[in-house]
Amino acid sequence: MRVLSCDTVKKSFGENPVLRGVSFDLAEHEFVCLLGPSGCGKTTLLRIIAGLEALDDGQVTLNDAAVSARGLLVPPQERGIGLVFQDVALFPNMTVSQNIAFGLQGSVKTHSRRIDELLELINLEGYQNRYPFEISGGQQQRVALARALAPSPRLIMLDEPFSSLDAQLRTQVRDELHRVLRDAGVSAILVTHDQSEAFGFADRVLVICDGCVVQEGTPEDIYHAPASPWIAGFVGVSNFLTVEALQALASDPTALSGVNPNAKILVRPEDISIALRDGTDHNAIIDQPRFAGDHVDLVAHLASCKTPLHLIANHHTKWQAGQTVELKVTRFRAFSEE
């Protein structure tokens, strides 16, 4: 069943077009991510879906009812959407229970059963009488999510909800919120510029650039089969080679047969094998090793053409600048000349 439909949504601010005809559907229980750089239009699209912004053209439908169109703007409170923002915006003078109950009609006592259900869902039983300053940032984010879930919406929208958290906490809170939303049985839209958040959260990713959806697919599709060199560079570390440069590195040279000689070749760092070699039996030289804990980030230069390559190496090996290595590319993607 379809929860949301956006049909050729357009929006401009003055002479500046921000959304250029965005269309997508959201199914029941589906998690979708709007992924793109700052200023691409993803937050504007979220605000239009929520009813916080009027569109210029197109239509937004929620539960088979039009809520936004030219001349139509159903108020946010009538849309049945829960919102979670980067700034959790909890009321500092209210307890956890009072914050959760804020969007409900009546007192905390009236809704005690619902509040208890949500506290159990977010694993914060026993925290109902604490104030926001008495709990951690990750716990505050879970309370903000519980508040959004309190009225039992079918759709939750999250706008950069993890960006204020440190790296380790960000992953933990993302996974916790993902579990809570799955257990709650709602659909969700996440807005982010971070591809790791998108891939770890969403069933489907919409890559947005300059107000347009430039690719849509599963996280695996977006990463392994990007539709353009720009998308490839945006969603991960990328090496771009000429066909000529790749010929000396391909583990299976026959894989290049039929590839346009003018094509741009994408090679991910994890698709390059590395072996230390002494003397002349090598095809690259290590330039910049950087220890990263569970792996080593390397930059190597091809001996034939000095082309730099970004690599991921075993962290147990002692890598040093000047070491000679043999590189083999095990997987690549070719883009026709643009």
Side-chain angles (χ1 to χ4, degrees):
M1 179 180 288
R2 187 174 60 186
V3 174
L4 167 73
S5 179
C6 291
D7 183 12
T8 58
V9 172
K10 296 180 181 179
K11 179 67 178 180
S12 296
F13 293 107
E15 298 295 319
N16 179 32
V18 178
L19 296 173
R20 303 172 184 265
V22 173
S23 298
F24 77 98
D25 292 338
L26 178 69
E28 192 170 22
H29 309 308
E30 185 182 24
F31 290 4
V32 163
C33 177
L34 307 180
L35 174 66
S38 297
C40 71
K42 58 188 184 295
T43 294
T44 298
L45 179 58
L46 180 146
R47 289 176 59 82
I48 287 173
I49 294 170
L52 301 172
E53 196 80 56
L55 52 71
D56 295 337
D57 205 356
Q59 182 170 280
V60 175
T61 301
L62 282 168
N63 304 321
D64 297 324
V67 292
S68 287
R70 186 182 294 182
L72 171 66
L73 182 62
V74 174
Q77 64 272 20
E78 297 178 16
R79 297 194 177 205
I81 294 176
L83 297 172
V84 179
F85 298 101
Q86 174 182 344
D87 179 0
V88 294
L90 298 179
F91 296 101
N93 60 328
M94 291 185 179
T95 64
V96 166
S97 288
Q98 289 169 333
N99 269 283
I100 293 174
F102 182 77
L104 300 169
Q105 298 295 321
S107 65
V108 170
K109 185 176 180 180
T110 302
H111 298 287
S112 60
R113 180 176 296 179
R114 177 61 175 158
I115 292 169
D116 288 343
E117 290 173 355
L118 290 165
L119 287 170
E120 181 179 0
L121 186 67
I122 63 174
N123 286 334
L124 286 180
E125 303 100 315
Y127 285 70
Q128 60 265 28
N129 295 321
R130 296 196 188 185
Y131 290 88
F133 68 87
E134 296 178 310
I135 59 177
S136 70
Q139 290 169 335
Q140 289 178 26
Q141 195 63 268
R142 280 186 274 161
V143 173
L145 179 61
R147 181 177 60 188
L149 288 169
S152 300
R154 291 181 64 191
L155 171 60
I156 291 286
M157 298 199 298
L158 308 103
D159 189 8
E160 304 275 6
F162 316 116
S163 57
S164 63
L165 305 174
D166 62 63
Q168 183 174 359
L169 186 58
R170 187 180 304 135
T171 301
Q172 177 186 341
V173 173
R174 181 200 70 200
D175 292 345
E176 287 177 350
L177 263 59
H178 187 276
R179 174 195 62 79
V180 169
L181 290 167
R182 287 291 190 209
D183 290 349
V186 300
S187 302
I189 297 176
L190 170 69
V191 169
T192 185
H193 63 274
D194 186 323
Q195 57 96 1
S196 64
E197 287 183 5
F199 292 170
F201 183 89
D203 303 313
R204 184 161 48 101
V205 176
L206 276 65
V207 183
I208 300 179
C209 180
D210 195 24
C212 299
V213 176
V214 292
Q215 188 171 0
E216 176 181 348
T218 66
E220 293 82 3
D221 291 338
I222 301 297
Y223 186 78
H224 292 303
S228 71
W230 181 87
I231 296 172
F234 183 70
V235 300
V237 179
S238 305
N239 297 297
F240 289 104
L241 299 174
T242 64
V243 172
E244 182 181 5
L246 183 60
Q247 285 173 337
L249 301 175
S251 57
D252 179 12
T254 62
L256 284 166
S257 60
V259 175
N260 185 329
N262 296 318
K264 199 173 194 177
I265 306 297
L266 164 67
V267 180
R268 297 290 191 192
E270 62 271 21
D271 293 328
I272 304 175
S273 66
I274 313 167
L276 282 168
R277 292 288 184 265
D278 293 328
T280 59
D281 187 21
H282 67 274
N283 56 18
I285 301 172
I286 300 299
D287 182 19
Q288 300 173 31
R290 292 193 178 93
F291 183 72
D294 59 352
H295 69 279
V296 177
D297 291 318
L298 299 177
V299 175
H301 285 85
L302 296 181
S304 58
C305 58
K306 305 301 182 184
T307 299
L309 289 176
H310 294 273
L311 315 170
I312 296 175
N314 188 312
H315 66 292
H316 293 299
T317 301
K318 182 65 175 178
W319 299 98
Q320 297 177 347
Q323 287 175 318
T324 53
V325 295
E326 182 183 18
L327 306 181
K328 287 295 183 181
V329 171
T330 58
R331 179 175 179 167
F332 65 88
R333 180 171 177 80
F335 294 97
S336 299
E337 187 179 22
E338 294 183 335

